[in-house]
Amino acid sequence: MGKMEKVIRWWVGAEPDHYSSGRQRLLIISLLAICAATFALGVPRLRFDDQDVFICLDGAWRILNGQRPVLDFYAAKGPAWFMLHALGLALAGNNARSLGYVSTIVAVLIGTWSFCVLRRRMAPAPCFVACISLMLLAVSPFPLGELPTSTSFAMTFNRYGFALAGLVLLECFLPSSCKEDSLPKQFGGGFSSGLACAVMLFVKISFGLVGLVLAGASVVLRPRERVRWLGLIAGFATFVLPILAYLRFDIPAIVREYRLLAMARGRTLTISSVLFRTWQERFELAPVLLLTLLVVLFAARGAGRRITLAAAGLLAAVGGMLLLMTNTQQTDLPLMAAVALLLVNEVTCAWMRSKADMGGPTPLAALTFLSFGLLVTGIPLSMDAAGLTYALADKVMHVQPAYHLQAPHLRALEFVKYTSEENGYDYGELFVRYTEEAMDLVKAHSAANESVRSMTVANLFSYALLRPPPPGGAVDINHSNFSEKSMPPLGFILGDVDLILIPKIPAADLTNTIKFILTKYHDELEIRYLIEAESPHWKLLRKRTMHGR
């Protein structure tokens, strides 16, 4: 036996037809270790897009105060994302450490879900890598497309969405069986993908649409598995119906919100921009598409299987690029890593079959395909593992000093000292100092029952001051949620709020969208509000009464 064949045999394992107890125990221990690490980390120290942490906290605080996403405020993100954070906030007694609870809940759900769905559908070794990859993808504490050292809680919805989309892709395009005794497995697989698509739809709609396309393609490619179709419908309905009931089946409100969101995000999807971004991401797209072609030509068995793998690669490339361009994300295509896992499993299964019928790839071809696929998968997996490891070490050793807000329920948030080379600002210190200044200004000039919001990307102050949130308005004011060409009325953006905090430069780096709003609605703001008080970096406006005050 040659060295290459020995390596492949080690990868396949001594019991290739099912999990050995040792490998299964190792996988379960690894998944539990990631859950434990996520719980121990809690809220990562914040280095990137610090104020984004208040987007989910503001939405969760609104829900706990009786408001409903979409119906009572412009959520932009799906209601399920805010409901998850509301659960965490309730468990934590309104403390910001709830963010760590949410991460732990997600780790347990994704780890358990991927283990249950994939362990009987994939060969043991690829399944091990897939479960670990999906779990780390979901919970690693830095934004996709950034360095692992950029610890943050920003844009967690993208990580949740990609983890679920990867799980749907694997379930939809893995080899299937049509034997009678596999009918419960067919239904279970369909139920999993239907449920995942529904969750994605109400976490962030763009991920849900991509998931539905993947599921629809799998129905076309697996026409005889009618039991699986029932599973897809059942899984989808299991989540969608309760969410719609929570939203009072107000379909016009849902459509109105998503139309506004589509107008804001759709402007980025021009032919030239798509071609330019595709060229930028060629080093992630090309290797996986090349591997797909090689496996289709030399490892896949049967025309149907070849078509399925080719469809998986193309759909993942197109869907991944559309998600990347509609996300606030610099780079990274996690769906291509999921396709690489699918191909690694295909080659592994082809080698296992070759021992029985002397077909399949040669040892050189199999080892080459496996190495190629594991490299593509291993890079993002290693990045995510490094991010979680670094965040834990940083939490213990405090690599850099950090600043805290004074309120007890906000002490779990650590804003790390970060000095900009461009202007010398320490953004962690500035954020905390300016936030405390604004909170003092509000407390000195208002009653505790008056609602307040800030003209910043996230509204920090309803939750930070534990005040009743204003009816209506948006939790997130940025270019991805509003379009200057189709700006809604001011009341839709701000809601019926008693007090408005407007930052002065350089109290906050105002985005172009907020600058546009302050300019466009300047006269309306003066009519509806008057200046109540000022501090060095903030203006506090109060809503006029019927008597002009």
Side-chain angles (χ1 to χ4, degrees), residues 496-517:
D496 186 16
V497 63
D498 298 317
L499 302 161
I500 299 175
L501 281 161
I502 297 182
K504 304 174 184 177
I505 302 297
D509 291 326
L510 297 184
T511 66
N512 290 332
T513 301
I514 293 174
K515 291 177 183 177
F516 179 82
I517 291 172

mmCIF file of all heavy atoms in Angstrom, residues 496-517:
data_model
loop_
_atom_site.group_PDB
_atom_site.id
_atom_site.type_symbol
_atom_site.label_atom_id
_atom_site.label_comp_id
_atom_site.label_asym_id
_atom_site.label_seq_id
_atom_site.Cartn_x
_atom_site.Cartn_y
_atom_site.Cartn_z
ATOM 1 N N ASP A 496 -42.465 58.740 17.061
ATOM 2 C CA ASP A 496 -43.082 59.781 17.882
ATOM 3 C C ASP A 496 -42.278 59.906 19.175
ATOM 4 O O ASP A 496 -42.669 59.419 20.229
ATOM 5 C CB ASP A 496 -44.540 59.426 18.164
ATOM 6 C CG ASP A 496 -45.275 60.539 18.901
ATOM 7 O OD1 ASP A 496 -44.766 61.682 18.916
ATOM 8 O OD2 ASP A 496 -46.338 60.258 19.485
ATOM 9 N N VAL A 497 -41.146 60.583 19.098
ATOM 10 C CA VAL A 497 -40.199 60.628 20.210
ATOM 11 C C VAL A 497 -40.234 61.998 20.873
ATOM 12 O O VAL A 497 -40.434 63.029 20.206
ATOM 13 C CB VAL A 497 -38.769 60.295 19.721
ATOM 14 C CG1 VAL A 497 -38.260 61.322 18.725
ATOM 15 C CG2 VAL A 497 -37.812 60.116 20.868
ATOM 16 N N ASP A 498 -40.074 62.026 22.190
ATOM 17 C CA ASP A 498 -40.121 63.279 22.948
ATOM 18 C C ASP A 498 -38.836 64.093 22.800
ATOM 19 O O ASP A 498 -38.883 65.317 22.683
ATOM 20 C CB ASP A 498 -40.360 62.989 24.435
ATOM 21 C CG ASP A 498 -41.675 62.294 24.685
ATOM 22 O OD1 ASP A 498 -42.683 62.700 24.070
ATOM 23 O OD2 ASP A 498 -41.700 61.340 25.485
ATOM 24 N N LEU A 499 -37.694 63.413 22.810
ATOM 25 C CA LEU A 499 -36.393 64.088 22.827
ATOM 26 C C LEU A 499 -35.491 63.510 21.742
ATOM 27 O O LEU A 499 -35.482 62.291 21.521
ATOM 28 C CB LEU A 499 -35.712 63.914 24.183
ATOM 29 C CG LEU A 499 -36.487 64.413 25.407
ATOM 30 C CD1 LEU A 499 -35.947 63.778 26.673
ATOM 31 C CD2 LEU A 499 -36.410 65.934 25.501
ATOM 32 N N ILE A 500 -34.750 64.367 21.076
ATOM 33 C CA ILE A 500 -33.809 63.927 20.049
ATOM 34 C C ILE A 500 -32.432 64.480 20.379
ATOM 35 O O ILE A 500 -32.279 65.678 20.662
ATOM 36 C CB ILE A 500 -34.231 64.419 18.647
ATOM 37 C CG1 ILE A 500 -35.592 63.854 18.263
ATOM 38 C CG2 ILE A 500 -33.187 64.015 17.603
ATOM 39 C CD1 ILE A 500 -36.105 64.395 16.940
ATOM 40 N N LEU A 501 -31.448 63.612 20.346
ATOM 41 C CA LEU A 501 -30.046 64.005 20.526
ATOM 42 C C LEU A 501 -29.390 64.093 19.157
ATOM 43 O O LEU A 501 -29.384 63.123 18.397
ATOM 44 C CB LEU A 501 -29.308 62.987 21.392
ATOM 45 C CG LEU A 501 -29.526 63.085 22.900
ATOM 46 C CD1 LEU A 501 -29.137 61.776 23.566
ATOM 47 C CD2 LEU A 501 -28.734 64.242 23.493
ATOM 48 N N ILE A 502 -28.848 65.265 18.835
ATOM 49 C CA ILE A 502 -28.135 65.443 17.577
ATOM 50 C C ILE A 502 -26.664 65.688 17.888
ATOM 51 O O ILE A 502 -26.326 66.639 18.598
ATOM 52 C CB ILE A 502 -28.709 66.617 16.774
ATOM 53 C CG1 ILE A 502 -30.167 66.321 16.402
ATOM 54 C CG2 ILE A 502 -27.879 66.856 15.514
ATOM 55 C CD1 ILE A 502 -30.812 67.405 15.572
ATOM 56 N N PRO A 503 -25.782 64.840 17.398
ATOM 57 C CA PRO A 503 -24.361 65.017 17.705
ATOM 58 C C PRO A 503 -23.750 66.157 16.920
ATOM 59 O O PRO A 503 -24.145 66.443 15.792
ATOM 60 C CB PRO A 503 -23.751 63.675 17.299
ATOM 61 C CG PRO A 503 -24.660 63.151 16.251
ATOM 62 C CD PRO A 503 -26.040 63.635 16.592
ATOM 63 N N LYS A 504 -22.797 66.819 17.550
ATOM 64 C CA LYS A 504 -22.001 67.820 16.857
ATOM 65 C C LYS A 504 -20.688 67.160 16.442
ATOM 66 O O LYS A 504 -20.193 66.266 17.106
ATOM 67 C CB LYS A 504 -21.694 68.999 17.785
ATOM 68 C CG LYS A 504 -22.907 69.670 18.409
ATOM 69 C CD LYS A 504 -22.445 70.725 19.408
ATOM 70 C CE LYS A 504 -23.602 71.365 20.145
ATOM 71 N NZ LYS A 504 -23.136 72.347 21.164
ATOM 72 N N ILE A 505 -20.128 67.595 15.358
ATOM 73 C CA ILE A 505 -18.811 67.108 14.950
ATOM 74 C C ILE A 505 -17.791 67.626 15.960
ATOM 75 O O ILE A 505 -17.806 68.796 16.315
ATOM 76 C CB ILE A 505 -18.467 67.615 13.543
ATOM 77 C CG1 ILE A 505 -19.531 67.158 12.553
ATOM 78 C CG2 ILE A 505 -17.092 67.159 13.110
ATOM 79 C CD1 ILE A 505 -19.660 65.682 12.381
ATOM 80 N N PRO A 506 -16.862 66.827 16.518
ATOM 81 C CA PRO A 506 -16.636 65.415 16.190
ATOM 82 C C PRO A 506 -17.228 64.463 17.208
ATOM 83 O O PRO A 506 -16.611 63.460 17.564
ATOM 84 C CB PRO A 506 -15.120 65.329 16.205
ATOM 85 C CG PRO A 506 -14.730 66.251 17.343
ATOM 86 C CD PRO A 506 -15.761 67.359 17.346
ATOM 87 N N ALA A 507 -18.427 64.798 17.767
ATOM 88 C CA ALA A 507 -19.008 63.908 18.762
ATOM 89 C C ALA A 507 -19.271 62.531 18.183
ATOM 90 O O ALA A 507 -19.240 61.533 18.877
ATOM 91 C CB ALA A 507 -20.316 64.494 19.284
ATOM 92 N N ALA A 508 -19.539 62.458 16.912
ATOM 93 C CA ALA A 508 -19.732 61.166 16.246
ATOM 94 C C ALA A 508 -19.407 61.346 14.779
ATOM 95 O O ALA A 508 -19.531 62.431 14.239
ATOM 96 C CB ALA A 508 -21.179 60.698 16.407
ATOM 97 N N ASP A 509 -18.971 60.293 14.157
ATOM 98 C CA ASP A 509 -18.739 60.342 12.721
ATOM 99 C C ASP A 509 -20.076 60.147 12.019
ATOM 100 O O ASP A 509 -20.573 59.033 11.903
ATOM 101 C CB ASP A 509 -17.760 59.238 12.300
ATOM 102 C CG ASP A 509 -16.371 59.505 12.825
ATOM 103 O OD1 ASP A 509 -16.000 60.683 12.912
ATOM 104 O OD2 ASP A 509 -15.666 58.538 13.157
ATOM 105 N N LEU A 510 -20.682 61.236 11.587
ATOM 106 C CA LEU A 510 -21.992 61.146 10.962
ATOM 107 C C LEU A 510 -21.873 60.505 9.592
ATOM 108 O O LEU A 510 -21.041 60.892 8.777
ATOM 109 C CB LEU A 510 -22.605 62.545 10.829
ATOM 110 C CG LEU A 510 -22.885 63.295 12.138
ATOM 111 C CD1 LEU A 510 -23.572 64.609 11.831
ATOM 112 C CD2 LEU A 510 -23.727 62.460 13.078
ATOM 113 N N THR A 511 -22.719 59.532 9.338
ATOM 114 C CA THR A 511 -22.727 58.896 8.026
ATOM 115 C C THR A 511 -23.369 59.839 7.025
ATOM 116 O O THR A 511 -24.076 60.786 7.377
ATOM 117 C CB THR A 511 -23.520 57.584 8.065
ATOM 118 O OG1 THR A 511 -24.896 57.889 8.329
ATOM 119 C CG2 THR A 511 -22.992 56.655 9.153
ATOM 120 N N ASN A 512 -23.147 59.570 5.754
ATOM 121 C CA ASN A 512 -23.749 60.394 4.699
ATOM 122 C C ASN A 512 -25.276 60.365 4.782
ATOM 123 O O ASN A 512 -25.944 61.365 4.500
ATOM 124 C CB ASN A 512 -23.283 59.915 3.328
ATOM 125 C CG ASN A 512 -21.822 60.228 3.084
ATOM 126 O OD1 ASN A 512 -21.286 61.183 3.640
ATOM 127 N ND2 ASN A 512 -21.166 59.424 2.266
ATOM 128 N N THR A 513 -25.824 59.206 5.176
ATOM 129 C CA THR A 513 -27.279 59.096 5.270
ATOM 130 C C THR A 513 -27.822 60.020 6.349
ATOM 131 O O THR A 513 -28.825 60.716 6.155
ATOM 132 C CB THR A 513 -27.677 57.642 5.570
ATOM 133 O OG1 THR A 513 -27.187 56.798 4.533
ATOM 134 C CG2 THR A 513 -29.188 57.493 5.659
ATOM 135 N N ILE A 514 -27.176 60.056 7.504
ATOM 136 C CA ILE A 514 -27.650 60.907 8.596
ATOM 137 C C ILE A 514 -27.463 62.384 8.238
ATOM 138 O O ILE A 514 -28.326 63.226 8.516
ATOM 139 C CB ILE A 514 -26.939 60.544 9.906
ATOM 140 C CG1 ILE A 514 -27.369 59.140 10.349
ATOM 141 C CG2 ILE A 514 -27.233 61.561 10.997
ATOM 142 C CD1 ILE A 514 -26.639 58.605 11.544
ATOM 143 N N LYS A 515 -26.348 62.715 7.606
ATOM 144 C CA LYS A 515 -26.153 64.093 7.135
ATOM 145 C C LYS A 515 -27.269 64.485 6.168
ATOM 146 O O LYS A 515 -27.798 65.601 6.225
ATOM 147 C CB LYS A 515 -24.793 64.229 6.449
ATOM 148 C CG LYS A 515 -23.602 64.128 7.392
ATOM 149 C CD LYS A 515 -22.296 64.213 6.597
ATOM 150 C CE LYS A 515 -21.081 64.038 7.499
ATOM 151 N NZ LYS A 515 -19.813 64.044 6.722
ATOM 152 N N PHE A 516 -27.626 63.561 5.275
ATOM 153 C CA PHE A 516 -28.691 63.842 4.307
ATOM 154 C C PHE A 516 -30.019 64.056 5.023
ATOM 155 O O PHE A 516 -30.774 64.980 4.684
ATOM 156 C CB PHE A 516 -28.807 62.690 3.315
ATOM 157 C CG PHE A 516 -29.888 62.870 2.295
ATOM 158 C CD1 PHE A 516 -29.664 63.642 1.167
ATOM 159 C CD2 PHE A 516 -31.133 62.280 2.461
ATOM 160 C CE1 PHE A 516 -30.666 63.819 0.223
ATOM 161 C CE2 PHE A 516 -32.143 62.449 1.528
ATOM 162 C CZ PHE A 516 -31.902 63.225 0.403
ATOM 163 N N ILE A 517 -30.317 63.238 6.022
ATOM 164 C CA ILE A 517 -31.576 63.376 6.766
ATOM 165 C C ILE A 517 -31.625 64.719 7.489
ATOM 166 O O ILE A 517 -32.636 65.428 7.458
ATOM 167 C CB ILE A 517 -31.729 62.210 7.768
ATOM 168 C CG1 ILE A 517 -31.964 60.892 7.014
ATOM 169 C CG2 ILE A 517 -32.887 62.470 8.731
ATOM 170 C CD1 ILE A 517 -31.925 59.671 7.899
#
